[in-house]
Amino acid sequence: MTSTHSPAHPSYPKPRPPSSPSAPSSVSLPSGPGWRAVWADRARVAVWLGPALVVAYAGFQRRWMSDDAYIYVRTVRQVLAGNGPVFNAGERVESSTGTLWQWLLVAAGTVGVDPVSAAVLGGLLLTAAGFALAGLGALRTYGGRAAVPLGSLVLLGLPPVWDFATSGLETGLATCWIAGAWLMLITRPSSFLTSAVIGLGPLVRPDLGLVSVVFLGAQWLLVRPSWRGTLAGAGAAGALPAAYEVFRAGYYGHLVPLPAVTKEASQSLWGRGFGYLGDFAHPYLLWVPALFVAAAVLPAHGGLAERGVARLVPVLAPVVAGLLCWLYVIKVGGDFMHGRMLLPGLLLMLLPVFVVPLTRVGALAAVGVGLWAVVCAGWLRIPYGGQIGPAGIADERGVYVRHNADPHPVRHTFVGAPHHMEYARKVWAARYSGAPALLFGKEGRLAAPAGPGAPSMTASYVVLGLNGSLVPLDGAALDPIGLAYPLAAHSERVGGGRVGHDKRLPAAWLAADRGAPGAAPGWADPAQVAAARRALRCGALAELNSATRGVLTPGRFLRNAVGAWERTAFRFPNDPVRAERELCGWVGAGVRGPSRP
């Protein structure tokens, strides 16, 4: 793509080069006939590629697939089957938090690659690529001088980094995007392509939009374009995210993926969030490498302010973005997977010191961090390995290793989890019984679904990835938490649950929504089921049903888009009687007022 500081784009002038005469314009390696130059070349390549190779090896040794990654896989299978980007055919729900990751897996599946293999190995390759790009960016920051690894050693010493190098989730893509966007910010700040890449943050993960905003601000400070150049850069950055947001609002009827509604991403849970930070920082003694990094940073960057904006902004931008990412994670209460949501912010804060100049202080700091990394990698572990901790935070990989009795649980069998095996047996029995079925939790076959167009089977289970793997694509795999079930996602939060798991839709709602008309199975209170059925026909619940299950006409698309804000914010009481009273306008027992269409 033509650089915006070329004659074709006079409004985007070329930024001034750094005032330091020692900083070359590229990361060219020194050359010469002497053995010193040869060894310098080799050392620089080792500093650049060594961490990428190490993280690739460590990640492969701990390869696995999380249950949440199988949520992506079912959506990918639905797209490849021609049912659209949905979790269940006939219900427009965006269950994938990482939009770009979902479509990359679809692209892999289109050319015949198994989505599970693509998720695991693709994540590993993207993680390694991200480490390589981060090292290249740090070398560029220091003008190609001799350097030693520092920040990369911090990441390499942490077991969660090895775990989420695979996992099938979008973490590897986030690592690659963060490092690649930073490298482009350093090397091509005037390019529209840089703006476009930086703008992809919300599509990698919605919360990474914070990084996009900071990096775009840094790009503007580096280039100082005219107002026309500013608008053009903003257009390049926002074109794809804005287009997808219009599609999301019209197709799904929501402004954010459904998991963001379920997890109440706009609420504040500071106490729980600081607990999540402590759960990550304390077991690995993260204050130790932090002290070494600080000792190396202060003398190395003490003169940056005197060297101009071109040297200061690329160093500060990722640090500011990383701090904001951590602040957001803490605000929303953290996550249920140990360390996972803090890794992007940590990478950002370590980018400027991924490698540092080879000085006496830099070398001593690298030795100190290296020793800590060896101790951390070899001995420091969380106290609840393979379990869910007392705060509801899980050693997610360890849990699935134990549940599958497999050191590399990529294809989940759950041979080590009898309760999951029992549920799987009931689903398979229902699939081959020849009659439609409604399953709730571990109770088994409970009732016949409603309506002539009902799916072959409907099953609700708290472990959604497992459920989506068991239920056929023409069936409905639901969850009481609401990661892929709009009714559960829009219910009120239940206190005392785990992070991301603190919504539990009562069984009466499932019976009312998916059960046979006029019938209440024995496991549900008939009065509650009847109230839930009436509530589903009223007000915002009726509109939610139309938005996600109605025929997608141009008019429906427009109504979805216009009402997306109100629909995303809508919540209803878990108690069906209360919900009916609020939504249907009850004025007394047994008397129902007017309902909204």
Side-chain angles (χ1 to χ4, degrees):
M1 180 175 179
T2 305
S3 173
T4 53
H5 58 68
S6 66
H9 301 279
S11 60
Y12 237 68
K14 183 177 181 179
R16 294 183 178 179
S19 57
S20 172
S22 64
S25 59
S26 66
V27 195
S28 58
L29 300 177
S31 59
W35 63 270
R36 294 179 184 272
V38 173
W39 280 105
D41 288 354
R42 292 178 178 177
R44 199 164 308 180
V45 170
V47 167
W48 172 40
L49 290 180
L53 296 176
V54 172
V55 78
Y57 174 80
F60 185 77
Q61 292 301 311
R62 294 173 70 87
R63 61 194 180 277
W64 69 297
M65 188 82 162
S66 72
D67 183 78
D68 281 23
Y70 275 98
I71 299 175
Y72 280 105
V73 169
R74 181 176 172 92
T75 301
V76 171
R77 291 169 57 214
Q78 293 283 20
V79 174
L80 297 177
N83 297 325
V86 299
F87 195 78
N88 295 308
E91 187 169 53
R92 294 182 298 276
V93 169
E94 186 180 16
S95 59
S96 301
T97 304
T99 302
L100 188 56
W101 183 234
Q102 169 190 290
W103 289 106
L104 287 175
L105 295 180
V106 169
T110 302
V111 298
V113 180
D114 172 52
V116 174
S117 299
V120 173
L121 297 180
L124 182 63
L125 292 174
L126 287 169
T127 299
F131 271 62
L133 294 172
L136 194 59
L139 284 172
R140 177 64 179 87
T141 299
Y142 298 113
R145 289 178 286 167
V148 292
L150 187 63
S152 59
L153 297 178
V154 177
L155 295 171
L156 291 176
L158 292 168
V161 173
W162 320 335
D163 290 352
F164 291 104
T166 57
S167 83
L169 296 170
E170 72 286 339
T171 309
L173 176 61
T175 298
C176 189
W177 173 78
I178 287 170
W182 184 59
L183 178 61
M184 294 187 72
L185 179 66
I186 295 169
T187 57
R188 300 187 63 190
S190 303
S191 171
F192 284 157
L193 180 59
T194 299
S195 301
V197 170
I198 290 175
L200 293 176
L203 298 180
V204 178
R205 270 194 67 89
D207 49 295
L208 292 181
L210 291 169
V211 183
S212 292
V213 170
V214 174
F215 277 17
L216 287 171
Q219 185 188 22
W220 188 90
L221 288 173
L222 288 170
V223 178
R224 298 297 179 93
S226 66
W227 66 269
R228 289 183 179 178
T230 300
L231 291 178
L240 190 57
Y244 189 81
E245 188 60 31
V246 171
F247 167 78
R248 171 184 282 149
Y251 186 79
Y252 297 110
H254 288 74
L255 295 177
V256 295
L258 199 64
V261 177
T262 298
K263 298 177 181 181
E264 302 291 1
S266 62
Q267 293 189 7
S268 298
L269 297 169
W270 292 98
R272 184 182 284 185
F274 279 111
Y276 184 68
L277 176 62
D279 178 80
F280 178 58
H282 292 164
Y284 308 119
L285 306 178
L286 278 182
W287 60 270
V288 174
L291 291 177
F292 283 111
V293 170
V297 165
L298 294 178
H301 295 294
L304 276 177
E306 289 77 25
R307 298 182 186 181
V309 170
R311 292 292 296 274
L312 183 63
V313 169
V315 171
L316 291 182
V319 176
V320 172
L323 289 172
L324 287 176
C325 285
W326 272 25
L327 185 66
Y328 175 77
V329 171
I330 293 170
K331 174 188 179 296
V332 299
D335 188 50
F336 68 95
M337 297 188 195
H338 167 69
R340 175 198 171 201
M341 293 302 294
L342 295 171
L343 295 181
L346 181 62
L347 169 65
L348 282 159
M349 288 185 278
L350 291 173
L351 281 178
V353 293
F354 212 78
V355 303
V356 295
L358 180 55
T359 62
R360 179 178 299 178
V361 173
L364 289 174
V367 170
V369 173
L371 292 174
W372 166 86
V374 170
V375 173
C376 185
W379 292 278
L380 299 183
R381 294 292 184 272
I382 52 177
Y384 51 88
Q387 304 288 336
I388 299 175
I393 302 170
D395 172 20
E396 194 74 358
R397 180 184 180 276
V399 167
Y400 283 94
V401 167
R402 180 170 55 85
H403 280 178
N404 291 278
D406 184 349
H408 305 298
V410 173
R411 310 282 177 175
H412 292 181
T413 62
F414 288 105
V415 296
H419 55 298
H420 292 328
M421 290 286 288
E422 177 63 20
Y423 176 73
R425 281 192 290 269
K426 289 180 178 179
V427 172
W428 279 100
R431 286 182 64 172
Y432 292 103
S433 67
L438 173 63
L439 282 74
F440 184 81
K442 293 175 283 188
E443 283 80 2
R445 184 174 177 175
L446 301 174
S456 60
M457 72 172 302
T458 301
S460 177
Y461 197 55
V462 68
V463 185
L464 181 60
L466 167 63
N467 205 30
S469 300
L470 295 171
V471 176
L473 294 184
D474 63 350
L478 309 176
D479 65 314
I481 298 172
L483 297 175
Y485 188 15
L487 192 61
H490 287 273
S491 63
E492 289 181 340
R493 178 179 245 151
V494 178
R498 296 174 62 200
V499 176
H501 294 71
D502 44 9
K503 288 191 176 181
R504 290 296 176 112
L505 188 71
W509 286 103
L510 180 69
D513 183 35
R514 301 280 183 161
W523 44 268
D525 180 354
Q528 294 277 308
V529 174
R533 281 201 176 102
R534 289 189 290 268
L536 287 169
R537 297 193 294 267
C538 294
L541 276 182
E543 169 60 19
L544 178 64
N545 182 70
S546 298
T548 55
R549 300 180 192 171
V551 178
L552 190 64
T553 63
R556 181 71 260 176
F557 186 97
L558 182 61
R559 289 194 298 276
N560 277 3
V562 171
W565 179 280
E566 183 179 1
R567 195 176 299 109
T568 302
F570 164 67
R571 302 293 183 272
F572 67 91
N574 286 320
D575 177 26
V577 175
R578 255 188 70 205
E580 182 188 11
R581 184 180 301 117
E582 292 185 11
L583 293 166
C584 301
W586 276 67
V587 295
V591 180
R592 183 155 53 92
S595 64
R596 294 190 295 268

